[in-house]
Amino acid sequence: MTSTDLLTLSDHTDTSGISDSAIAMLDERGTVVAWTRAAEHLVGYPAAEAVGRSAALVLPTFGEAPTVSEFVEECRTRDGWSGTTTVRDRHDRTLDVGLRFSKLRGEDGTTRWLASVGDVGALSGEAAYGSVRGPLLTRAPIGIVVRDPELRCTWANEVMESHDGISLERRLGCRFADALPGAKSEALEAVMRQVLRSGTTKVHEYRTWLPTTLGREHPFAASFQCLQGADGEPVGVCVISVDVAEGRRVRERLAVLGEAGTRLGSTLDVMQTSQELAELAVPLLADYVAVDLEQSVPFGEGPPVRVGPVGERLPVFRRAGLASIHRGTPESPWVRGEPVPVPPDSPFSEVLSTGKPHLEPILDTAPGIWIDKVPALARKVHEHGMHSLMIVPIRARRTVLGMVLFLRMEDPMPFQEADRLLAEELVARAAVSLDNARQYAREHTAALALQRNLLPRRLTGGTAVDTASRYLPADMDHGVGGDWFDVIPLSGARVALVVGDVVGHGLHAAAAMGRLRTAVQTLAHMDLPPDDLLTHLDDTVQRLAEEDDDETPAPVGATCLYAVYDPATRRCAMARAGHPPPAIVDPRGRITFPDLPSGTPLGIGLGVPFESVELELPEGSLLALYTDGLIETRGHDIDEGMHRLGASLAQPGRSLEELCDLATESFPGQAPCDDVTLLLVRTRSLHPAQVASWTLPSDETAVRSARNMAARQLDAWGLGGLEEPTKLIVSELVTNAVRHSTGAIGLRLIHHSVLTCEVFDTDVCSPHLRRARSVDENGRGLFLVAQMSRRWGTRSVSGGKVVWAEADLHGG
């Protein structure tokens, strides 16, 4: 090779990363001692204004350190600094740059810092990886030598020895031609003299034998920049050397990151994202890759693992991703989903403690090392000839989500620093997707848990109805919704049935559902008619929306269907607020959707009154309450969905559980677009012998007559043990009715799961329990009723009210 060939830059060598770099030399205090024209072109300050000034003037951003001195101290601790940041030029324009501070050593142990700044936006037009090319190449190892005008070496970094084999001690104070005589050295010194005379920058490629290789030249690209003093005169030349072969390899693998942007995080499934990461890195970066996640990450549960000392209790990791150049990944002792042990005093625990990657170019497999503590892993290492190792933590929000293990077997090249940088960048991108998936999993799990805890675990229909239900969440992309249902026992063997749907999905919808369900239960126990209950519930929804702040807004709009069934009369009163109508199937299998006024959704605030409809249901009728997710699917209208629902329910011989399965599978093979909720009840009725009722006059004879009739009825039912407390309850309730009403008084006893005593009067005012003083002649009646019954209450009815009390059948 001639000197001309030596100094001709290869057309295939991409050197923009070093040729466009602005160079400044700083002393130990961060003061600029040398400047370049490239630096002047980048930030606008000439050498006369930069040299002798603090680096804060021309490079005002220093990572997280607030001052130049603190930043220099940080660089000294970390032996340098590299990364991406922004700087402002002399015209106050903001530039995105890759910034590197490299430590240079001189004679007598003195230190200088070389700041190289590259405009990331101007590095390359390759859009596939332009956003990360700068930071990655900025961190790639480079050799640096600073020579005086006589071309004697005054400063150098330690990397340069790996490029030309010349030690730092042998290099300092010598010319290149003296330290490494030959035609190539003479040619390179000719380039340096030319740079000193012209004050410009030149980039050339040269070839040499690496100290670690035999018989094969290695290509390097070198940038020669003239260093200027305060007067603008040359004070030396800076040579920055880059391994061309390694640079090409890095650039080829940078394309992986471009692909990673489209392949990683295609779903919110941490297991799938982990597998995508593993497959992306094989074989471009490693022969075998395993992704292990901390066991709580897939579910979004548990405290996060913080970077720091791990102590005796190491976190548990599970294998989430696997990829290998060999089919079936025979190198892995653990399959996906299995726990993976983390040996103490190993590179894995070191990575957890420091949060930094571990690079082991030559894997130490000597007896007695950490690998032997995991026999299954040691066996695989020896069996497959694993010779080079990298462990990179998956970090997000100052926590460790997991670790990625990179291994080489058939590729004889050990992992290099550039491989580690690429692996870090790749894992960092995956960490964003995994953290998003973890956050989603956490919210989704919390919403599911909230909904499971808020929905009834066991439905109790008493003697009024038999029940069955289904709740089917929509797919993972839609999350948990605000569907709820309930069966609420009421006085007099009656039962309330409710199904509702809060607009939206996720944690806020589930929380809103819980608030509305609680409100419905409270209102139901006040024995309000369906239309009155929905009116109060509508007010509640509007009030909650007004109280909530902007960060956690209450969902505006919820639908609800509320019904009350009385087995004594077989009548069912119902009203709805924007909810689909119920389906009613009579004992012969004939189905109807009653013409029930639709009402407006809750919380809309239109002020339109709700209307109740009362129907008589034959014993054994099937009543289906559901949410719109059961009848609405993509490609099918609601009418078709209601027809399918009716057809699946119109099978009188089927059990309620079977009918639930049939109804929720009415669109086989098609995922629901919303949560599906179904509540099925089959009505019962009380036998006439279970109900006894009388009409009493509103005078002093009513109390004695009521006591006697109640005693005879209890004796007929075989409930003589309840005679005394029941007579006392009847006496007090009828006495209050005589005292406060003017019309006829009704008395009814109902024998079902409990004994219910009901007294009707024409007074619309509800009685209130109070504690009578010792001097009061009245006020103890309801107190005695409360003591003698399991519970008591009052409800409004047409023409007056009913005061009722319940007693356990086994009571004495």
Side-chain angles (χ1 to χ4, degrees):
M1 179 184 293
T2 66
S3 60
T4 304
D5 295 330
L6 175 69
L7 301 178
T8 300
L9 183 63
S10 169
D11 292 337
H12 302 287
T13 304
D14 182 358
T15 59
S16 60
I18 58 174
S19 64
D20 295 339
S21 294
I23 301 297
M25 194 170 177
L26 314 177
D27 64 14
E28 289 186 323
R29 297 186 301 273
T31 302
V32 178
V33 295
W35 198 242
T36 60
R37 289 188 181 178
E40 180 180 351
H41 293 157
L42 181 65
V43 296
Y45 295 99
E49 297 183 21
V51 177
R53 307 285 294 276
S54 170
L57 171 68
V58 291
L59 302 173
T61 303
F62 298 95
E64 297 179 358
T67 64
V68 175
S69 59
E70 291 182 23
F71 180 74
V72 170
E73 183 59 34
E74 181 182 345
C75 290
R76 183 178 294 108
T77 302
R78 299 169 57 176
D79 211 26
W81 188 90
S82 62
T84 56
T85 184
T86 58
V87 299
R88 290 188 178 275
D89 64 10
R90 189 175 189 179
H91 305 291
D92 205 34
R93 291 174 300 189
T94 301
L95 304 175
D96 294 322
V97 298
L99 176 63
R100 179 205 296 264
F101 278 82
S102 303
K103 187 176 183 179
L104 305 181
R105 299 186 184 276
E107 294 181 305
D108 302 326
T110 52
T111 302
R112 289 289 185 270
W113 296 96
L114 191 80
S116 55
V117 186
D119 187 349
V120 174
L123 280 174
S124 174
E126 294 170 297
Y129 54 87
S131 62
V132 296
R133 179 183 185 280
L136 194 59
L137 292 181
T138 296
R139 297 165 64 191
I142 61 172
I144 303 173
V145 174
V146 175
R147 298 184 179 276
D148 62 15
E150 303 301 324
L151 302 185
R152 292 179 299 235
C153 176
T154 53
W155 309 94
N157 70 346
E158 296 177 350
V159 177
M160 197 63 198
E161 182 176 354
S162 66
H163 287 193
D164 56 20
I166 305 174
S167 66
L168 186 62
E169 293 76 12
R170 197 171 131 214
R171 187 190 308 274
L172 289 172
C174 299
R175 291 172 45 202
F176 188 37
D178 296 334
L180 190 65
K184 294 182 180 180
S185 301
E186 296 289 347
L188 290 175
E189 286 196 346
V191 176
M192 297 180 203
R193 294 188 184 94
Q194 183 181 356
V195 168
L196 284 170
R197 287 193 301 269
S198 63
T200 57
T201 301
K202 289 187 178 294
V203 180
H204 294 282
E205 181 178 325
Y206 66 96
R207 295 179 180 275
T208 187
W209 284 269
L210 286 175
T212 56
T213 62
L214 295 175
R216 203 166 123 188
E217 288 185 314
H218 206 72
F220 287 88
S223 167
F224 303 85
Q225 291 201 44
C226 178
L227 296 175
Q228 299 173 333
D231 56 2
E233 294 299 318
V235 295
V237 60
C238 177
V239 183
I240 298 180
S241 177
V242 177
D243 188 332
V244 173
E246 189 60 36
R248 285 174 181 157
R249 191 173 184 177
V250 170
R251 285 190 295 275
E252 289 171 359
R253 291 177 178 174
L254 278 170
V256 175
L257 298 181
E259 186 179 357
T262 58
R263 287 181 56 182
L264 286 177
S266 57
T267 70
L268 289 172
D269 185 340
V270 294
M271 297 294 286
Q272 181 171 335
T273 300
S274 300
Q275 185 61 28
E276 290 170 350
L277 170 60
E279 293 175 353
L280 196 60
V282 174
L284 291 173
L285 185 57
D287 295 335
Y288 166 81
V289 172
V291 181
D292 299 329
L293 297 180
E294 196 273 322
Q295 65 173 355
S296 69
V297 171
F299 311 103
E301 300 175 344
V305 177
R306 301 287 182 182
V307 176
V310 293
E312 296 181 359
R313 296 188 60 182
L314 294 172
V316 178
F317 289 84
R318 291 187 179 273
R319 187 130 293 174
L322 273 175
S324 169
I325 58 173
H326 299 130
R327 193 170 188 179
T329 59
E331 306 86 357
S332 177
W334 304 281
V335 300
R336 294 180 69 201
E338 285 188 340
V340 178
V342 178
D345 301 324
S346 69
F348 296 96
S349 57
E350 176 190 337
V351 168
L352 288 175
S353 298
T354 63
K356 297 180 180 180
H358 173 80
L359 171 62
E360 200 167 335
I362 307 299
L363 180 59
D364 187 0
T365 57
I369 64 166
W370 65 271
I371 295 178
D372 290 341
K373 298 178 183 178
V374 188
L377 178 61
R379 186 171 57 254
K380 293 292 185 180
V381 168
H382 294 291
E383 179 183 338
H384 295 279
M386 301 176 179
H387 64 84
S388 194
L389 165 75
M390 288 191 301
I391 304 172
V392 180
I394 307 173
R395 297 187 57 182
R397 303 173 190 265
R398 301 181 298 280
T399 63
V400 178
L401 305 182
M403 293 183 287
V404 186
L405 177 67
F406 299 87
L407 284 163
R408 281 184 178 165
M409 302 169 293
E410 296 188 2
D411 186 346
M413 179 69 67
F415 286 121
Q416 303 294 324
E417 186 69 12
D419 297 312
R420 180 187 67 82
L421 297 173
L422 179 60
E424 279 190 86
E425 199 72 43
L426 185 61
V427 172
R429 289 199 166 201
V432 175
S433 299
L434 288 170
D435 188 49
N436 290 338
R438 180 184 65 132
Q439 296 297 321
Y440 171 80
R442 173 172 295 178
E443 179 172 328
H444 185 75
T445 301
L448 278 176
L450 177 62
Q451 193 164 46
R452 281 195 303 267
N453 291 330
L454 291 176
L455 291 176
R457 299 183 180 182
R458 184 172 62 90
L459 298 176
T460 303
T463 57
V465 294
D466 295 320
T467 64
S469 64
R470 291 290 184 274
Y471 169 68
L472 304 177
D475 58 27
M476 292 292 288
D477 291 335
H478 290 84
V480 176
D483 288 11
W484 90 91
F485 61 94
D486 216 340
V487 177
I488 307 170
L490 301 177
S491 64
R494 297 169 307 127
V495 65
L497 312 170
V498 59
V499 168
D501 185 2
V502 174
V503 173
H505 293 86
L507 192 58
H508 292 313
M513 173 271 289
R515 298 165 83 175
L516 292 188
R517 178 173 180 251
T518 301
V520 170
Q521 288 182 327
T522 302
L523 295 171
H525 287 299
M526 294 173 63
D527 266 324
L528 297 175
D531 52 347
D532 286 349
L533 183 140
L534 291 182
T535 300
H536 284 78
L537 189 62
D538 184 40
D539 294 338
T540 300
V541 174
Q542 293 184 55
R543 188 178 67 255
L544 291 176
E546 294 171 356
E547 293 175 354
D548 284 329
D549 54 36
D550 295 335
E551 295 182 0
T552 57
V556 176
T559 65
C560 183
L561 173 62
Y562 183 80
V564 176
Y565 174 68
D566 187 345
T569 61
R570 292 184 286 105
R571 300 193 68 82
C572 181
M574 59 186 71
R576 59 177 177 144
H579 204 81
I584 300 177
V585 184
D586 68 15
R588 297 183 180 181
R590 293 174 298 188
I591 186 164
T592 58
F593 292 91
D595 185 15
L596 187 64
S598 62
T600 58
L602 303 171
I604 301 300
L606 297 181
V608 179
F610 299 99
E611 299 181 56
S612 290
V613 170
E614 191 170 80
L615 305 173
E616 184 172 343
L617 302 178
E619 183 176 5
S621 296
L622 180 69
L623 188 62
L625 284 68
Y626 52 90
T627 56
D628 55 6
L630 184 63
I631 57 175
E632 285 185 347
T633 56
R634 297 181 182 91
H636 301 84
D637 57 26
I638 295 180
D639 291 340
E640 184 177 354
M642 295 176 68
H643 176 75
R644 286 176 176 266
L645 174 62
S648 62
L649 296 178
Q651 304 182 51
R654 300 273 191 171
S655 69
L656 292 181
E657 294 293 336
E658 291 176 322
L659 292 176
C660 277
D661 291 336
L662 290 172
T664 53
E665 295 172 359
S666 56
F667 291 97
Q670 186 171 3
C673 55
D674 198 359
D675 292 352
V676 171
T677 300
L678 174 64
L679 173 62
L680 292 183
V681 300
R682 183 166 281 139
T683 63
R684 301 175 184 173
S685 63
L686 295 178
H687 192 276
Q690 293 178 267
V691 182
S693 57
W694 303 272
T695 300
L696 305 171
S698 183
D699 57 31
E700 63 275 4
T701 65
V703 175
R704 178 178 295 180
S705 299
R707 289 168 56 91
N708 293 335
M709 289 186 290
R712 287 194 295 270
Q713 187 61 54
L714 291 178
D715 184 62
W717 283 337
L719 300 177
L722 296 179
E723 180 176 337
E724 289 305 320
T726 302
K727 287 166 63 175
L728 178 58
I729 291 172
V730 168
S731 296
E732 296 300 334
L733 295 184
V734 172
T735 297
N736 283 343
V738 170
R739 182 173 299 164
H740 298 290
S741 66
T742 57
I745 298 171
L747 171 63
R748 184 167 76 160
L749 298 181
I750 305 174
H751 178 201
H752 54 113
S753 57
V754 295
L755 176 66
T756 301
C757 173
E758 297 181 343
V759 173
F760 165 82
D761 63 56
T762 57
D763 183 24
V764 295
C765 295
S766 297
H768 296 285
L769 180 66
R770 66 185 180 91
R771 183 176 294 276
R773 295 174 298 175
S774 59
V775 296
D776 290 340
E777 296 182 3
N778 300 305
R780 297 177 179 84
L782 286 181
F783 178 77
L784 292 175
V785 171
Q787 297 298 310
M788 293 296 164
S789 61
R790 65 193 298 267
R791 63 173 188 156
W792 73 278
T794 180
R795 68 175 183 268
S796 298
V797 296
S798 177
K801 69 176 184 297
V802 170
V803 183
W804 54 269
E806 292 179 351
D808 291 321
L809 297 181
H810 53 75

Short mmCIF file of all heavy atoms in Angstrom, two decimals, residues 381-410:
data_model
loop_
_atom_site.label_atom_id
_atom_site.label_comp_id
_atom_site.label_asym_id
_atom_site.label_seq_id
_atom_site.Cartn_x
_atom_site.Cartn_y
_atom_site.Cartn_z
N VAL A 381 -23.90 -24.29 30.11
CA VAL A 381 -22.76 -23.48 29.69
C VAL A 381 -21.67 -24.36 29.08
O VAL A 381 -21.13 -24.07 28.01
CB VAL A 381 -22.22 -22.66 30.87
CG1 VAL A 381 -20.87 -22.04 30.54
CG2 VAL A 381 -23.21 -21.55 31.25
N HIS A 382 -21.35 -25.45 29.77
CA HIS A 382 -20.29 -26.33 29.28
C HIS A 382 -20.75 -27.14 28.07
O HIS A 382 -19.98 -27.37 27.13
CB HIS A 382 -19.84 -27.26 30.40
CG HIS A 382 -19.17 -26.56 31.54
ND1 HIS A 382 -17.92 -25.98 31.43
CD2 HIS A 382 -19.58 -26.32 32.82
CE1 HIS A 382 -17.57 -25.42 32.57
NE2 HIS A 382 -18.57 -25.61 33.44
N GLU A 383 -22.00 -27.55 28.08
CA GLU A 383 -22.51 -28.39 27.00
C GLU A 383 -22.54 -27.65 25.67
O GLU A 383 -22.23 -28.23 24.63
CB GLU A 383 -23.93 -28.87 27.37
CG GLU A 383 -24.61 -29.73 26.32
CD GLU A 383 -26.02 -30.10 26.73
OE1 GLU A 383 -26.33 -30.06 27.94
OE2 GLU A 383 -26.82 -30.44 25.83
N HIS A 384 -22.86 -26.36 25.69
CA HIS A 384 -23.02 -25.61 24.44
C HIS A 384 -21.85 -24.67 24.16
O HIS A 384 -21.90 -23.90 23.19
CB HIS A 384 -24.32 -24.82 24.47
CG HIS A 384 -25.54 -25.69 24.51
ND1 HIS A 384 -26.08 -26.28 23.39
CD2 HIS A 384 -26.32 -26.09 25.56
CE1 HIS A 384 -27.15 -26.99 23.73
NE2 HIS A 384 -27.31 -26.88 25.05
N GLY A 385 -20.83 -24.68 24.98
CA GLY A 385 -19.65 -23.88 24.72
C GLY A 385 -19.91 -22.39 24.80
O GLY A 385 -19.39 -21.61 23.98
N MET A 386 -20.69 -21.95 25.78
CA MET A 386 -20.95 -20.52 25.94
C MET A 386 -19.68 -19.84 26.42
O MET A 386 -19.12 -20.22 27.45
CB MET A 386 -22.09 -20.31 26.94
CG MET A 386 -23.39 -20.97 26.51
SD MET A 386 -24.69 -20.80 27.79
CE MET A 386 -26.06 -21.64 26.99
N HIS A 387 -19.23 -18.82 25.68
CA HIS A 387 -17.93 -18.25 25.98
C HIS A 387 -17.93 -16.75 26.25
O HIS A 387 -16.92 -16.20 26.68
CB HIS A 387 -16.96 -18.54 24.82
CG HIS A 387 -17.37 -17.89 23.52
ND1 HIS A 387 -17.06 -16.59 23.20
CD2 HIS A 387 -18.06 -18.39 22.47
CE1 HIS A 387 -17.55 -16.29 22.01
NE2 HIS A 387 -18.17 -17.38 21.54
N SER A 388 -19.04 -16.06 25.98
CA SER A 388 -19.07 -14.61 26.19
C SER A 388 -20.45 -14.23 26.73
O SER A 388 -21.48 -14.76 26.27
CB SER A 388 -18.78 -13.87 24.89
OG SER A 388 -18.49 -12.51 25.13
N LEU A 389 -20.49 -13.30 27.70
CA LEU A 389 -21.71 -13.03 28.46
C LEU A 389 -21.94 -11.54 28.62
O LEU A 389 -20.99 -10.77 28.84
CB LEU A 389 -21.60 -13.68 29.84
CG LEU A 389 -22.59 -13.25 30.93
CD1 LEU A 389 -23.95 -13.86 30.65
CD2 LEU A 389 -22.08 -13.68 32.30
N MET A 390 -23.20 -11.13 28.51
CA MET A 390 -23.64 -9.78 28.91
C MET A 390 -24.93 -9.93 29.70
O MET A 390 -25.81 -10.72 29.34
CB MET A 390 -23.90 -8.89 27.69
CG MET A 390 -22.68 -8.44 26.94
SD MET A 390 -23.06 -7.12 25.73
CE MET A 390 -24.26 -7.93 24.67
N ILE A 391 -25.06 -9.16 30.78
CA ILE A 391 -26.30 -9.08 31.55
C ILE A 391 -26.68 -7.61 31.62
O ILE A 391 -25.91 -6.78 32.12
CB ILE A 391 -26.13 -9.64 32.97
CG1 ILE A 391 -25.62 -11.08 32.93
CG2 ILE A 391 -27.46 -9.58 33.73
CD1 ILE A 391 -25.26 -11.63 34.29
N VAL A 392 -27.87 -7.28 31.12
CA VAL A 392 -28.33 -5.88 31.07
C VAL A 392 -29.62 -5.77 31.87
O VAL A 392 -30.58 -6.51 31.62
CB VAL A 392 -28.56 -5.43 29.61
CG1 VAL A 392 -29.04 -3.97 29.58
CG2 VAL A 392 -27.29 -5.59 28.79
N PRO A 393 -29.68 -4.86 32.85
CA PRO A 393 -30.91 -4.70 33.63
C PRO A 393 -31.99 -3.98 32.81
O PRO A 393 -31.68 -3.12 31.98
CB PRO A 393 -30.47 -3.86 34.83
CG PRO A 393 -29.32 -3.06 34.31
CD PRO A 393 -28.62 -3.95 33.30
N ILE A 394 -33.23 -4.35 33.05
CA ILE A 394 -34.37 -3.65 32.46
C ILE A 394 -34.84 -2.65 33.51
O ILE A 394 -35.44 -3.01 34.52
CB ILE A 394 -35.51 -4.63 32.10
CG1 ILE A 394 -34.98 -5.75 31.23
CG2 ILE A 394 -36.64 -3.88 31.39
CD1 ILE A 394 -36.03 -6.84 30.97
N ARG A 395 -34.55 -1.38 33.29
CA ARG A 395 -34.83 -0.35 34.28
C ARG A 395 -35.89 0.61 33.79
O ARG A 395 -35.94 0.96 32.62
CB ARG A 395 -33.55 0.42 34.62
CG ARG A 395 -32.46 -0.41 35.25
CD ARG A 395 -31.31 0.45 35.72
NE ARG A 395 -31.76 1.47 36.67
CZ ARG A 395 -30.96 2.38 37.21
NH1 ARG A 395 -29.68 2.39 36.89
NH2 ARG A 395 -31.43 3.28 38.05
N ALA A 396 -36.74 1.03 34.72
CA ALA A 396 -37.76 2.04 34.42
C ALA A 396 -38.20 2.66 35.74
O ALA A 396 -38.42 1.95 36.73
CB ALA A 396 -38.97 1.41 33.71
N ARG A 397 -38.30 3.98 35.75
CA ARG A 397 -38.77 4.71 36.93
C ARG A 397 -37.95 4.33 38.18
O ARG A 397 -38.50 4.09 39.25
CB ARG A 397 -40.25 4.44 37.19
CG ARG A 397 -41.15 4.79 36.03
CD ARG A 397 -42.57 4.32 36.31
NE ARG A 397 -43.42 4.42 35.15
CZ ARG A 397 -44.21 5.44 34.89
NH1 ARG A 397 -44.24 6.46 35.70
NH2 ARG A 397 -44.96 5.45 33.79
N ARG A 398 -36.65 4.26 38.02
CA ARG A 398 -35.72 3.97 39.12
C ARG A 398 -35.94 2.59 39.74
O ARG A 398 -35.58 2.34 40.88
CB ARG A 398 -35.78 5.06 40.21
CG ARG A 398 -35.46 6.45 39.69
CD ARG A 398 -35.51 7.46 40.82
NE ARG A 398 -36.83 7.55 41.41
CZ ARG A 398 -37.83 8.24 40.90
NH1 ARG A 398 -37.68 8.91 39.78
NH2 ARG A 398 -39.01 8.28 41.50
N THR A 399 -36.58 1.71 39.00
CA THR A 399 -36.79 0.35 39.48
C THR A 399 -36.25 -0.64 38.46
O THR A 399 -36.03 -0.30 37.29
CB THR A 399 -38.29 0.06 39.70
OG1 THR A 399 -38.99 0.15 38.45
CG2 THR A 399 -38.89 1.05 40.68
N VAL A 400 -36.04 -1.87 38.90
CA VAL A 400 -35.57 -2.94 38.03
C VAL A 400 -36.76 -3.85 37.71
O VAL A 400 -37.33 -4.47 38.61
CB VAL A 400 -34.44 -3.75 38.70
CG1 VAL A 400 -34.01 -4.90 37.80
CG2 VAL A 400 -33.26 -2.85 39.01
N LEU A 401 -37.12 -3.90 36.45
CA LEU A 401 -38.22 -4.76 36.02
C LEU A 401 -37.74 -6.18 35.73
O LEU A 401 -38.53 -7.12 35.80
CB LEU A 401 -38.89 -4.20 34.75
CG LEU A 401 -39.40 -2.76 34.82
CD1 LEU A 401 -40.08 -2.40 33.50
CD2 LEU A 401 -40.36 -2.59 35.98
N GLY A 402 -36.47 -6.32 35.40
CA GLY A 402 -35.94 -7.63 35.07
C GLY A 402 -34.52 -7.52 34.57
O GLY A 402 -33.85 -6.49 34.70
N MET A 403 -34.05 -8.61 33.96
CA MET A 403 -32.70 -8.66 33.41
C MET A 403 -32.73 -9.43 32.09
O MET A 403 -33.56 -10.32 31.91
CB MET A 403 -31.74 -9.34 34.39
CG MET A 403 -31.49 -8.55 35.67
SD MET A 403 -30.29 -9.35 36.76
CE MET A 403 -31.26 -10.72 37.37
N VAL A 404 -31.81 -9.05 31.20
CA VAL A 404 -31.68 -9.73 29.91
C VAL A 404 -30.29 -10.34 29.85
O VAL A 404 -29.28 -9.66 30.09
CB VAL A 404 -31.90 -8.76 28.74
CG1 VAL A 404 -31.89 -9.53 27.42
CG2 VAL A 404 -33.22 -8.01 28.90
N LEU A 405 -30.26 -11.63 29.52
CA LEU A 405 -29.01 -12.37 29.44
C LEU A 405 -28.66 -12.60 27.97
O LEU A 405 -29.45 -13.17 27.22
CB LEU A 405 -29.18 -13.72 30.16
CG LEU A 405 -28.00 -14.69 30.13
CD1 LEU A 405 -26.83 -14.14 30.91
CD2 LEU A 405 -28.43 -16.05 30.68
N PHE A 406 -27.47 -12.13 27.55
CA PHE A 406 -26.98 -12.31 26.18
C PHE A 406 -25.77 -13.26 26.23
O PHE A 406 -24.85 -13.06 27.04
CB PHE A 406 -26.53 -10.98 25.58
CG PHE A 406 -27.63 -9.95 25.47
CD1 PHE A 406 -27.91 -9.10 26.54
CD2 PHE A 406 -28.37 -9.81 24.30
CE1 PHE A 406 -28.91 -8.14 26.44
CE2 PHE A 406 -29.37 -8.86 24.20
CZ PHE A 406 -29.64 -8.02 25.27
N LEU A 407 -25.77 -14.27 25.37
CA LEU A 407 -24.66 -15.23 25.33
C LEU A 407 -24.25 -15.52 23.90
O LEU A 407 -25.09 -15.50 22.98
CB LEU A 407 -25.07 -16.54 26.02
CG LEU A 407 -25.10 -16.53 27.55
CD1 LEU A 407 -25.89 -17.69 28.08
CD2 LEU A 407 -23.68 -16.54 28.11
N ARG A 408 -22.96 -15.80 23.72
CA ARG A 408 -22.45 -16.23 22.42
C ARG A 408 -21.86 -17.63 22.57
O ARG A 408 -21.17 -17.93 23.55
CB ARG A 408 -21.41 -15.25 21.89
CG ARG A 408 -22.06 -14.02 21.27
CD ARG A 408 -21.06 -13.09 20.64
NE ARG A 408 -21.76 -11.95 20.03
CZ ARG A 408 -21.16 -10.84 19.65
NH1 ARG A 408 -19.84 -10.71 19.81
NH2 ARG A 408 -21.85 -9.85 19.10
N MET A 409 -22.14 -18.44 21.53
CA MET A 409 -21.65 -19.81 21.51
C MET A 409 -20.90 -20.09 20.21
O MET A 409 -19.69 -20.32 20.21
CB MET A 409 -22.83 -20.78 21.65
CG MET A 409 -23.66 -20.56 22.91
SD MET A 409 -25.20 -21.49 22.91
CE MET A 409 -26.11 -20.68 21.58
N GLU A 410 -21.61 -20.05 19.09
CA GLU A 410 -21.00 -20.36 17.80
C GLU A 410 -20.29 -19.15 17.19
O GLU A 410 -19.35 -19.32 16.42
CB GLU A 410 -22.07 -20.89 16.84
CG GLU A 410 -22.67 -22.22 17.30
CD GLU A 410 -23.58 -22.83 16.25
OE1 GLU A 410 -23.69 -22.24 15.15
OE2 GLU A 410 -24.17 -23.89 16.53
#
